[in-house]
Coordinates of all heavy atoms in Angstrom, one line a residue:
M1 N 107.8 -0.3 -178.3 CA 108.4 -0.6 -177.0 C 109.1 0.7 -176.5 O 109.7 1.4 -177.3 CB 109.5 -1.7 -177.2 CG 110.1 -2.1 -175.9 SD 111.4 -3.4 -176.0 CE 110.9 -4.4 -177.4
G2 N 108.9 1.0 -175.3 CA 109.5 2.2 -174.7 C 111.0 2.1 -174.5 O 111.6 1.0 -174.5
K3 N 111.6 3.3 -174.2 CA 113.0 3.3 -173.9 C 113.2 2.8 -172.5 O 112.4 3.1 -171.6 CB 113.5 4.7 -174.1 CG 113.6 5.1 -175.5 CD 114.9 5.8 -175.8 CE 115.0 6.1 -177.2 NZ 116.4 6.2 -177.6
F4 N 114.3 2.1 -172.3 CA 114.7 1.6 -171.0 C 115.8 2.5 -170.5 O 116.7 2.9 -171.3 CB 115.2 0.2 -171.1 CG 114.0 -0.8 -171.2 CD1 113.5 -1.1 -172.4 CD2 113.5 -1.4 -170.1 CE1 112.5 -2.0 -172.5 CE2 112.5 -2.3 -170.2 CZ 112.0 -2.6 -171.4
S5 N 115.8 2.8 -169.2 CA 116.9 3.6 -168.6 C 118.2 2.7 -168.5 O 118.1 1.5 -168.5 CB 116.5 4.1 -167.2 OG 116.5 3.0 -166.3
S6 N 119.3 3.3 -168.4 CA 120.5 2.6 -168.3 C 120.5 1.8 -167.0 O 121.1 0.7 -166.9 CB 121.7 3.5 -168.4 OG 121.7 4.5 -167.4
Q7 N 119.9 2.3 -166.0 CA 119.8 1.6 -164.7 C 119.0 0.3 -164.8 O 119.4 -0.7 -164.3 CB 119.2 2.5 -163.6 CG 120.1 3.6 -163.1 CD 119.5 4.4 -162.0 OE1 118.3 4.6 -162.1 NE2 120.2 4.8 -161.1
E8 N 117.9 0.4 -165.6 CA 117.1 -0.8 -165.8 C 117.8 -1.8 -166.6 O 117.8 -3.0 -166.3 CB 115.8 -0.4 -166.5 CG 114.8 -1.6 -166.7 CD 114.3 -2.2 -165.4 OE1 114.3 -1.6 -164.3 OE2 114.0 -3.4 -165.5
I9 N 118.5 -1.4 -167.6 CA 119.3 -2.3 -168.4 C 120.4 -3.0 -167.5 O 120.6 -4.2 -167.6 CB 120.0 -1.6 -169.6 CG1 119.0 -1.0 -170.5 CG2 121.0 -2.5 -170.3 CD1 118.1 -2.0 -171.2
E10 N 121.0 -2.2 -166.7 CA 122.1 -2.8 -165.8 C 121.5 -3.8 -164.8 O 122.0 -4.8 -164.6 CB 122.7 -1.6 -165.1 CG 124.0 -2.0 -164.3 CD 125.1 -2.4 -165.3 OE1 125.2 -2.0 -166.4 OE2 126.0 -3.3 -164.9
R11 N 120.3 -3.5 -164.3 CA 119.6 -4.4 -163.4 C 119.3 -5.7 -164.1 O 119.5 -6.8 -163.5 CB 118.3 -3.8 -162.8 CG 118.6 -2.8 -161.6 CD 117.3 -2.5 -160.9 NE 116.5 -1.6 -161.7 CZ 116.4 -0.3 -161.7 NH1 117.1 0.3 -160.8 NH2 115.6 0.4 -162.4
Q12 N 118.7 -5.6 -165.3 CA 118.4 -6.8 -166.0 C 119.6 -7.6 -166.3 O 119.6 -8.9 -166.2 CB 117.6 -6.5 -167.2 CG 116.2 -6.0 -167.0 CD 115.4 -5.6 -168.2 OE1 115.9 -6.0 -169.3 NE2 114.3 -5.0 -168.1
Y13 N 120.6 -7.0 -166.8 CA 121.9 -7.6 -167.1 C 122.5 -8.4 -165.9 O 122.9 -9.5 -166.0 CB 122.9 -6.6 -167.6 CG 124.3 -7.0 -167.8 CD1 124.6 -7.8 -168.9 CD2 125.3 -6.7 -166.9 CE1 125.9 -8.3 -169.0 CE2 126.6 -7.1 -167.1 CZ 126.9 -7.9 -168.1 OH 128.2 -8.4 -168.3
N14 N 122.5 -7.7 -164.7 CA 123.0 -8.3 -163.5 C 122.2 -9.5 -163.1 O 122.7 -10.6 -162.7 CB 123.1 -7.3 -162.4 CG 124.2 -6.3 -162.6 OD1 125.2 -6.6 -163.3 ND2 124.1 -5.1 -162.1
L15 N 120.9 -9.4 -163.3 CA 120.0 -10.5 -162.9 C 120.3 -11.7 -163.8 O 120.4 -12.9 -163.3 CB 118.5 -10.1 -163.1 CG 117.5 -11.3 -162.9 CD1 117.6 -11.9 -161.5 CD2 116.1 -10.8 -163.2
I16 N 120.4 -11.5 -165.1 CA 120.7 -12.6 -166.0 C 122.1 -13.3 -165.7 O 122.2 -14.5 -165.7 CB 120.7 -12.1 -167.5 CG1 119.2 -11.8 -167.9 CG2 121.3 -13.1 -168.4 CD1 119.1 -11.0 -169.2
K17 N 123.1 -12.4 -165.4 CA 124.4 -13.0 -165.0 C 124.3 -13.9 -163.8 O 124.9 -14.9 -163.7 CB 125.4 -11.9 -164.8 CG 125.9 -11.3 -166.1 CD 127.0 -10.4 -165.9 CE 128.2 -11.0 -165.4 NZ 129.4 -10.1 -165.4
R18 N 123.5 -13.4 -162.8 CA 123.3 -14.2 -161.6 C 122.6 -15.6 -161.9 O 123.0 -16.6 -161.3 CB 122.5 -13.5 -160.5 CG 123.4 -12.5 -159.7 CD 122.6 -11.9 -158.7 NE 121.7 -10.9 -159.4 CZ 121.1 -9.9 -158.9 NH1 121.1 -9.7 -157.6 NH2 120.4 -9.1 -159.6
L19 N 121.6 -15.5 -162.7 CA 120.8 -16.7 -163.0 C 121.8 -17.7 -163.8 O 121.7 -18.9 -163.5 CB 119.6 -16.4 -163.9 CG 118.5 -15.6 -163.2 CD1 117.5 -15.2 -164.3 CD2 117.9 -16.3 -162.0
L20 N 122.6 -17.2 -164.7 CA 123.4 -18.0 -165.5 C 124.6 -18.6 -164.6 O 125.2 -19.6 -165.0 CB 124.0 -17.3 -166.7 CG 122.9 -17.0 -167.7 CD1 123.5 -16.1 -168.8 CD2 122.3 -18.3 -168.3
A21 N 124.9 -18.0 -163.5 CA 126.0 -18.5 -162.6 C 125.6 -19.8 -162.0 O 126.5 -20.6 -161.7 CB 126.3 -17.4 -161.6
E22 N 124.3 -20.0 -161.9 CA 123.8 -21.3 -161.3 C 122.7 -21.9 -162.2 O 121.5 -21.9 -161.8 CB 123.3 -21.1 -159.9 CG 124.4 -20.6 -158.9 CD 123.8 -20.5 -157.5 OE1 123.5 -21.5 -156.9 OE2 123.7 -19.3 -157.0
P23 N 123.0 -22.3 -163.4 CA 122.0 -22.7 -164.3 C 121.1 -23.8 -163.9 O 119.9 -23.9 -164.2 CB 122.7 -23.1 -165.6 CG 124.1 -23.3 -165.1 CD 124.3 -22.5 -163.9
E24 N 121.6 -24.8 -163.1 CA 120.8 -25.9 -162.6 C 119.8 -25.4 -161.6 O 118.7 -25.9 -161.6 CB 121.7 -27.0 -162.1 CG 122.5 -26.6 -160.9 CD 123.7 -25.8 -161.2 OE1 124.3 -25.8 -162.3 OE2 124.2 -25.1 -160.2
K25 N 120.1 -24.4 -160.9 CA 119.2 -23.9 -159.8 C 118.1 -23.1 -160.4 O 117.0 -23.0 -160.0 CB 120.0 -23.1 -158.8 CG 119.2 -22.6 -157.7 CD 120.1 -21.9 -156.6 CE 119.3 -21.4 -155.5 NZ 120.2 -20.7 -154.5
Y26 N 118.4 -22.3 -161.5 CA 117.5 -21.4 -162.1 C 117.0 -21.8 -163.5 O 116.8 -20.9 -164.4 CB 118.1 -20.0 -162.1 CG 118.4 -19.5 -160.8 CD1 119.7 -19.3 -160.3 CD2 117.4 -19.1 -159.9 CE1 120.0 -18.9 -159.1 CE2 117.7 -18.7 -158.6 CZ 119.0 -18.5 -158.2 OH 119.3 -18.1 -157.0
K27 N 116.9 -23.1 -163.8 CA 116.6 -23.6 -165.1 C 115.3 -23.0 -165.6 O 115.2 -22.5 -166.8 CB 116.5 -25.1 -165.1 CG 116.2 -25.7 -166.5 CD 116.1 -27.2 -166.4 CE 115.8 -27.8 -167.7 NZ 115.1 -27.1 -168.7
D28 N 114.3 -22.9 -164.8 CA 113.0 -22.4 -165.3 C 113.1 -20.9 -165.7 O 112.5 -20.5 -166.7 CB 111.9 -22.6 -164.2 CG 111.6 -24.1 -164.0 OD1 111.8 -24.9 -164.9 OD2 111.1 -24.4 -162.9
A29 N 113.8 -20.2 -164.9 CA 113.9 -18.7 -165.2 C 114.7 -18.5 -166.5 O 114.4 -17.7 -167.3 CB 114.6 -18.0 -164.0
I30 N 115.8 -19.3 -166.6 CA 116.6 -19.2 -167.9 C 115.8 -19.6 -169.1 O 115.8 -19.0 -170.1 CB 117.9 -20.1 -167.7 CG1 118.8 -19.5 -166.6 CG2 118.6 -20.2 -169.0 CD1 119.9 -20.4 -166.2
D31 N 115.0 -20.7 -169.0 CA 114.1 -21.1 -170.1 C 113.1 -20.0 -170.4 O 112.8 -19.7 -171.6 CB 113.4 -22.4 -169.7 CG 114.3 -23.6 -169.7 OD1 115.4 -23.5 -170.2 OD2 113.9 -24.6 -169.1
A32 N 112.6 -19.3 -169.4 CA 111.6 -18.2 -169.7 C 112.3 -17.0 -170.4 O 111.8 -16.4 -171.3 CB 111.0 -17.7 -168.4
I33 N 113.6 -16.8 -170.0 CA 114.3 -15.7 -170.7 C 114.6 -16.1 -172.1 O 114.5 -15.2 -173.0 CB 115.6 -15.4 -169.9 CG1 115.4 -14.8 -168.6 CG2 116.6 -14.5 -170.8 CD1 116.6 -14.7 -167.7
K34 N 114.9 -17.3 -172.4 CA 115.1 -17.8 -173.8 C 113.9 -17.5 -174.6 O 114.0 -17.1 -175.8 CB 115.5 -19.3 -173.8 CG 116.9 -19.6 -173.3 CD 117.1 -21.1 -173.3 CE 118.3 -21.5 -172.7 NZ 118.5 -23.0 -172.7
K35 N 112.7 -17.8 -174.1 CA 111.5 -17.6 -174.9 C 111.3 -16.1 -175.1 O 110.7 -15.7 -176.1 CB 110.3 -18.2 -174.1 CG 110.3 -19.7 -174.1 CD 109.2 -20.2 -173.3 CE 109.3 -21.7 -173.1 NZ 108.2 -22.2 -172.3
D36 N 111.7 -15.2 -174.2 CA 111.4 -13.8 -174.3 C 112.5 -13.0 -174.9 O 112.5 -11.7 -174.9 CB 111.0 -13.2 -172.9 CG 109.7 -13.8 -172.4 OD1 108.9 -14.2 -173.2 OD2 109.5 -13.8 -171.2
I37 N 113.6 -13.6 -175.4 CA 114.8 -12.9 -175.8 C 114.5 -11.9 -177.0 O 115.1 -10.9 -177.1 CB 115.9 -13.9 -176.2 CG1 117.2 -13.2 -176.0 CG2 115.7 -14.5 -177.5 CD1 118.4 -14.1 -175.8
A38 N 113.5 -12.3 -177.8 CA 113.1 -11.4 -178.9 C 112.6 -10.1 -178.4 O 112.6 -9.1 -179.2 CB 112.1 -12.1 -179.8
Y39 N 112.1 -10.0 -177.2 CA 111.5 -8.8 -176.7 C 112.4 -8.0 -175.8 O 112.0 -7.0 -175.2 CB 110.2 -9.1 -175.9 CG 109.2 -9.9 -176.8 CD1 109.0 -11.2 -176.7 CD2 108.5 -9.2 -177.8 CE1 108.1 -11.9 -177.5 CE2 107.6 -9.8 -178.6 CZ 107.4 -11.2 -178.5 OH 106.5 -11.9 -179.3
M40 N 113.6 -8.4 -175.6 CA 114.6 -7.7 -174.8 C 114.9 -6.4 -175.5 O 115.0 -6.3 -176.7 CB 115.9 -8.5 -174.7 CG 115.9 -9.6 -173.7 SD 117.6 -10.2 -173.6 CE 117.3 -11.5 -172.4
P41 N 115.2 -5.4 -174.6 CA 115.7 -4.1 -175.2 C 117.0 -4.3 -175.9 O 117.8 -5.2 -175.5 CB 115.9 -3.3 -174.0 CG 115.2 -3.9 -172.8 CD 115.1 -5.4 -173.2
I42 N 117.2 -3.6 -177.0 CA 118.4 -3.7 -177.9 C 119.6 -3.5 -177.0 O 120.6 -4.2 -177.2 CB 118.3 -2.8 -179.0 CG1 117.2 -3.2 -180.0 CG2 119.6 -2.7 -179.8 CD1 116.8 -2.2 -181.1
E43 N 119.6 -2.5 -176.1 CA 120.7 -2.2 -175.3 C 121.2 -3.4 -174.5 O 122.3 -3.6 -174.3 CB 120.4 -1.0 -174.4 CG 120.1 0.3 -175.1 CD 118.7 0.5 -175.4 OE1 117.9 -0.5 -175.3 OE2 118.3 1.5 -175.9
L44 N 120.2 -4.1 -173.9 CA 120.5 -5.3 -173.1 C 121.1 -6.4 -174.0 O 122.1 -7.0 -173.6 CB 119.3 -5.8 -172.4 CG 119.4 -7.0 -171.5 CD1 120.5 -6.8 -170.5 CD2 118.1 -7.4 -170.8
K45 N 120.5 -6.6 -175.2 CA 121.1 -7.6 -176.1 C 122.5 -7.3 -176.4 O 123.4 -8.2 -176.4 CB 120.3 -7.7 -177.4 CG 118.9 -8.4 -177.2 CD 118.2 -8.4 -178.5 CE 116.9 -9.0 -178.4 NZ 116.2 -9.0 -179.7
K46 N 122.8 -6.0 -176.7 CA 124.2 -5.6 -177.0 C 125.1 -5.9 -175.9 O 126.3 -6.4 -176.1 CB 124.2 -4.2 -177.4 CG 123.7 -3.9 -178.8 CD 123.7 -2.4 -179.1 CE 123.1 -2.1 -180.5 NZ 123.1 -0.7 -180.7
K47 N 124.7 -5.6 -174.7 CA 125.5 -5.7 -173.5 C 125.8 -7.2 -173.3 O 127.0 -7.6 -173.0 CB 124.8 -5.1 -172.3 CG 125.7 -5.1 -171.1 CD 125.1 -4.2 -170.0 CE 125.9 -4.1 -168.8 NZ 126.8 -3.0 -168.8
L48 N 124.8 -8.1 -173.4 CA 125.0 -9.5 -173.3 C 126.0 -10.0 -174.4 O 126.9 -10.9 -174.1 CB 123.7 -10.3 -173.4 CG 122.8 -10.0 -172.2 CD1 121.4 -10.6 -172.4 CD2 123.4 -10.5 -170.9
E49 N 125.8 -9.5 -175.6 CA 126.7 -10.0 -176.7 C 128.2 -9.5 -176.4 O 129.1 -10.3 -176.7 CB 126.2 -9.4 -178.0 CG 125.0 -10.0 -178.5 CD 124.4 -9.3 -179.7 OE1 125.0 -8.3 -180.2 OE2 123.3 -9.8 -180.2
E50 N 128.4 -8.3 -175.9 CA 129.7 -7.9 -175.6 C 130.4 -8.8 -174.6 O 131.6 -8.9 -174.6 CB 129.6 -6.4 -175.0 CG 129.3 -5.4 -176.1 CD 129.1 -4.0 -175.5 OE1 129.2 -3.9 -174.2 OE2 128.7 -3.1 -176.2
E51 N 129.7 -9.3 -173.7 CA 130.2 -10.2 -172.7 C 130.2 -11.7 -173.1 O 130.5 -12.6 -172.3 CB 129.4 -10.1 -171.4 CG 129.5 -8.7 -170.7 CD 130.9 -8.5 -170.1 OE1 131.5 -9.5 -169.5 OE2 131.3 -7.4 -170.1
N52 N 129.8 -11.9 -174.4 CA 129.7 -13.3 -174.9 C 128.8 -14.2 -174.1 O 129.0 -15.3 -173.9 CB 131.1 -13.9 -175.0 CG 131.9 -13.3 -176.1 OD1 131.4 -12.9 -177.1 ND2 133.2 -13.1 -175.8
I53 N 127.7 -13.6 -173.6 CA 126.7 -14.3 -172.9 C 125.6 -14.7 -173.9 O 124.9 -13.8 -174.4 CB 126.1 -13.5 -171.7 CG1 127.2 -13.2 -170.7 CG2 125.0 -14.2 -171.0 CD1 126.8 -12.3 -169.6
T54 N 125.4 -16.0 -174.1 CA 124.4 -16.5 -175.0 C 123.5 -17.5 -174.3 O 123.9 -18.1 -173.3 CB 125.0 -17.1 -176.3 OG1 125.9 -18.2 -175.9 CG2 125.8 -16.1 -177.1
F55 N 122.4 -17.7 -174.9 CA 121.4 -18.7 -174.4 C 121.3 -19.8 -175.3 O 121.2 -19.9 -176.4 CB 120.0 -18.0 -174.2 CG 120.0 -17.0 -173.1 CD1 120.2 -15.7 -173.3 CD2 119.8 -17.4 -171.8 CE1 120.2 -14.8 -172.3 CE2 119.8 -16.5 -170.8 CZ 119.9 -15.2 -171.0

């Protein structure tokens, strides 16, 4: 897996936070993220863990 830029990590992080703000509206997207969590960049996983954001 290639390296991700800090901007890309930040964009993905912000997208996840927006989706989780309205879980009933974005249920399908959240479910897709849950399935792909193993493939997330390590930097993004760490950032989510720091904010106590779990799926």
Side-chain angles (χ1 to χ4, degrees):
M1 184 181 330
K3 289 223 171 204
F4 284 83
S5 70
S6 60
Q7 287 180 325
E8 181 62 25
I9 298 297
E10 192 67 27
R11 280 192 290 262
Q12 290 180 12
Y13 171 75
N14 289 331
L15 173 62
I16 290 170
K17 283 185 68 172
R18 278 184 287 197
L19 295 174
L20 292 173
E22 297 184 69
E24 60 286 337
K25 185 175 180 181
Y26 298 111
K27 182 182 179 335
D28 293 337
I30 293 169
D31 289 343
I33 291 170
K34 286 179 187 179
K35 291 178 184 175
D36 292 336
I37 204 157
Y39 301 106
M40 276 186 186
I42 293 170
E43 296 89 351
L44 181 55
K45 285 183 185 179
K46 286 180 183 177
K47 190 167 179 95
L48 293 171
E49 288 172 1
E50 288 172 2
E51 294 287 325
N52 292 322
I53 297 174
T54 57
F55 291 93

